Amino acid sequence: MLCYNPAPEMLFNRAVVFLNKHRCALSYAEHNCRFSVAPMLDWTDRHYRYFARLLSRNTLLYTEMVTTGAIIHGRGDFLEYNQQEHPVALQLGGSNPSELAHCAKLASERGYDEINLNVGCPSDRVQNGRFGACLMAEPELVAECVDAMKSVVDLPVTVKTRIGIDEQDSYEFLTRFIDIVSAAGCQDFTIHARKAWLSGLSPKENREIPPLDYDRAYQIKRDYPQLTIAVNGGIKTIEECQGHLQHLDGVMVGREAYQNPYLLASVDSEIYGDSTPTVDRRAVVEAMVPYVERHLANGGRVNHVTRHMLGLFNGLPGARNWRRTLSEKAHLKDAQPQLLLEAMAHVGEPKELELN
């Protein structure tokens, strides 16, 4: 295998050029939310979102769910993000209208592009806090929350929900929820095309066991053509996204966009018709080196960032060595940003392989 070992000054010059060329080109309104990455706890933090933005200029990125209690009472800045992440949406967890309005106003002042209310998470912790999927049973309360947030911000206030909960999974149950919440001013719904079991299944099982019903989301769009409807759940390929977009306004991809992040590199051309050349994996790695340097300078650790990048070279020769190098070394106290370049040296494109 040929070794990839350009001079350090070349790496950082190319990284600067890359960042300047690939910052988000479209505003929130212009990109029209055709493709987004789902909010995923412990995964879609600001480091992942910075990395994802290098792969796609137009994808709408969501934060992890942030509770109103964390923002109002927690220590630390739970609204922190990188300016390069735009368009970026904040997903809030909560059910107190005044607290949600307060947090939405703070988010608006910080420059977020959208406020999304979580009405889809089924975990016990979330239910105990009276938010997430259990709120599907209280559409009037969700409507109050939406109305309170819309009264203090000019941003889109959207809702991510399920097709039902427990035994309440009829189409009539879903349409009643849509009717009441949309009447409060919510025009954008992302529908996870599985119902949620509020007891008996773990959050992981709730992402896999309840059967997918994309037709339910399609029917909502047919019955509510005035609303913006996106679908989430089990979507793994660009071809599947394109199929859903024949029926809906948007698609939201979760685990696949995290575990196989180079999927995002095709989004701009295949979903948005953007003629910008597809970004090269190596250029992305080079661009992440100065980002990791800044993170270290602010007291962070290399693995805070690199843990999100393990799947970048999936399918290429040397991908296992890339993952192993980062997994074994990035958590060490003396790990440096150049570890990314060391790990990348193990990866070869097919054309770079020597035939024995």
Side-chain angles (χ1 to χ4, degrees), residues 41 46 98 152 236 248 311 315 330 337 351:
L41 191 63
R46 60 189 175 90
S98 63
V152 296
K236 294 186 175 182
L248 299 162
K351 65 182 180 181

Side-chain angles (χ1 to χ4, degrees), residues 3 20 46-47 54 59 72 93 106 118 131 150 182 199 206 211 213-214 220 228 263 296:
C3 183
N20 287 337
R46 60 189 175 90
H47 306 309
L54 296 179
T59 294
I72 297 170
L106 292 175
N118 184 320
F131 55 91
K150 287 185 66 65
S182 62
S199 61
N206 261 301
D213 187 353
Y214 297 128
I220 289 291
T228 298
L263 169 79
L296 259 64

Side-chain angles (χ1 to χ4, degrees), residues 209-355:
I209 292 178
L212 286 161
D213 187 353
Y214 297 128
D215 287 338
R216 186 70 62 89
Y218 298 171
Q219 188 62 49
I220 289 291
K221 180 59 186 177
R222 288 193 292 269
D223 291 343
Y224 299 86
Q226 75 280 13
L227 300 180
T228 298
I229 305 295
V231 71
N232 169 233
I235 302 169
K236 294 186 175 182
T237 68
I238 293 296
E239 291 72 25
E240 290 174 14
C241 293
Q242 292 169 328
H244 290 304
L245 288 171
Q246 298 300 311
H247 306 275
L248 299 162
D249 302 296
V251 289
M252 175 182 279
V253 178
R255 285 168 288 173
E256 193 67 18
Y258 187 89
Q259 296 167 344
N260 183 27
Y262 200 61
L263 169 79
L264 299 179
S266 302
V267 168
D268 291 351
S269 60
E270 298 299 323
I271 302 297
Y272 289 95
D274 191 330
S275 60
T276 304
T278 301
V279 63
D280 177 70
R281 290 176 174 91
R282 298 186 185 280
V284 172
V285 174
E286 293 165 14
M288 288 300 294
V289 172
Y291 177 83
V292 178
E293 284 189 331
R294 293 192 295 272
H295 180 58
L296 259 64
N298 290 324
R301 301 280 287 272
V302 171
N303 67 319
H304 294 166
V305 180
T306 59
R307 70 187 183 94
H308 301 301
M309 301 175 64
L310 296 179
L312 179 60
F313 291 99
N314 283 353
L316 295 185
R320 181 177 298 178
N321 288 330
W322 156 266
R323 293 192 297 269
R324 180 185 298 131
T325 301
L326 294 181
S327 297
E328 293 179 353
K329 297 182 178 182
H331 69 282
L332 300 176
K333 289 184 178 180
D334 60 350
Q336 294 298 311
Q338 286 71 22
L339 178 64
L340 282 167
L341 308 181
E342 176 188 334
M344 186 167 63
H346 294 295
V347 182
E349 301 288 349
K351 65 182 180 181
E352 295 177 329
L353 299 179
E354 294 182 347
L355 298 178

